[in-house]
Amino acid sequence: MLNLVLFGPPGAGKGTQAEFLINTFNLIHISTGELLRSEIAAGTELGKIANQFMAKGELVSDDVVIEMIKGKINDNPEAKGFIFDGFPRTVDQAVALDRLLNEKGTPVSAMLCLEVEKEELINRLLGRGKISGRADDQSQKIIENRIEVYRNKTEPIIEYYSEQNKHHDIKGMGTIEEIAERLIKKVESLYNKQM
Ligand code: ADP
């Protein structure tokens, strides 16, 4: 199986690029942000609690997102592989993911980290906010808080995957197609090495 962690700050283009990767490599896309937004849209209890954190740009609790991931993995026993987008976001989540996948005998293959400058992130998110209406993309203050949370709580995961020799940086500036090509080439080269 090919299990990819697509990593990077808010606005790095994870969701956009995940689309290219799932089509190219026939993977199942798991985005915790999307799963949480569908809980909010459905008006569930979980969604109501999650929304209080998301609206401020804070993280939802590890327990909640880990349970969601577990459910999604178990729902797809025939998957050729998964692409994790927006997860893990804390070292504890990364440890939990390793545990879940190791139980299935199919570990994380690689972590691909999209690198984008802060100014560009803010511009992309404000632009997206105008179209999508996502509450957490509307205010520069909330966006800056999300980037801050990323630096403090999420970035330490890079070290975690580096120690396992699974971390790869990908330049996340340029056109969508250029970035997709970089990612696909990287995955192909890793895949060939595995064979
Ligand atoms: P972005 O990467 O642009 O911030 P996401 O859709 O991945 O967008 O996440 C939106 C929000 O959902 C986050 O700011 C956070 O509040 C919540 N969230 C998503 N994934 C996780 C996660 N793995 N752990 C905790 N909170 C999460």
Side-chain angles (χ1 to χ4, degrees):
M1 268 171 90
L2 183 64
N3 295 317
L4 303 173
V5 171
L6 193 52
F7 193 82
K14 299 183 293 287
T16 306
Q17 295 299 335
E19 289 302 316
F20 287 91
L21 292 170
I22 56 170
N23 292 331
T24 309
F25 299 103
N26 203 1
L27 306 172
I28 304 274
H29 183 199
I30 306 186
S31 155
T32 40
E34 273 175 22
L35 292 172
L36 289 166
R37 279 187 291 279
S38 58
E39 294 283 340
I40 295 174
T44 65
E45 232 12 74
L46 191 157
K48 281 179 195 149
I49 297 166
N51 193 29
Q52 293 170 4
F53 294 91
M54 292 167 76
K56 287 186 284 193
E58 297 293 330
L59 295 183
V60 175
S61 81
D62 286 343
D63 296 351
V64 167
V65 291
I66 291 164
E67 256 332 284
M68 286 193 329
I69 289 282
K70 205 193 229 170
K72 263 298 225 189
I73 292 175
N74 290 334
D75 284 349
N76 289 284
E78 305 296 328
K80 290 216 166 91
F82 294 98
I83 178 150
F84 298 95
D85 158 7
F87 179 92
R89 254 178 162 91
T90 63
V91 172
D92 283 347
Q93 290 179 18
V95 172
L97 180 62
D98 273 351
R99 202 171 296 143
L100 282 173
L101 291 177
N102 285 335
E103 272 171 23
K104 302 212 167 282
T106 162
V108 169
S109 314
M111 180 257 225
L112 306 165
C113 179
L114 288 170
E115 292 185 308
V116 178
E117 288 154 20
K118 183 173 175 186
E119 214 186 280
E120 170 78 7
L121 295 174
I122 295 173
N123 287 337
R124 287 186 190 175
L125 291 171
L126 286 172
R128 182 170 77 185
K130 285 192 195 123
I131 303 162
S132 74
R134 249 178 74 170
D136 58 346
D137 287 342
Q138 303 292 327
S139 110
Q140 180 142 352
K141 218 173 120 220
I142 295 170
I143 289 173
E144 294 206 6
N145 189 44
R146 283 156 63 199
I147 296 173
E148 202 45 36
V149 168
Y150 171 80
R151 300 272 174 246
N152 295 329
K153 297 191 174 156
T154 307
E155 232 171 25
I157 299 179
I158 293 178
E159 187 62 31
Y160 179 82
Y161 285 109
S162 293
E163 283 167 7
Q164 301 186 20
N165 288 320
K166 290 180 178 172
H167 161 245
H168 304 273
D169 279 327
I170 305 287
K171 205 171 120 222
M173 306 280 287
T175 67
I176 290 174
E177 290 75 18
E178 280 165 355
I179 301 163
E181 200 180 306
R182 280 179 212 137
L183 281 163
I184 290 168
K185 281 209 173 116
K186 173 56 84 180
V187 176
E188 279 171 350
S189 77
L190 295 170
Y191 205 57
N192 289 337
K193 239 189 267 169
Q194 249 183 32
M195 310 287 278

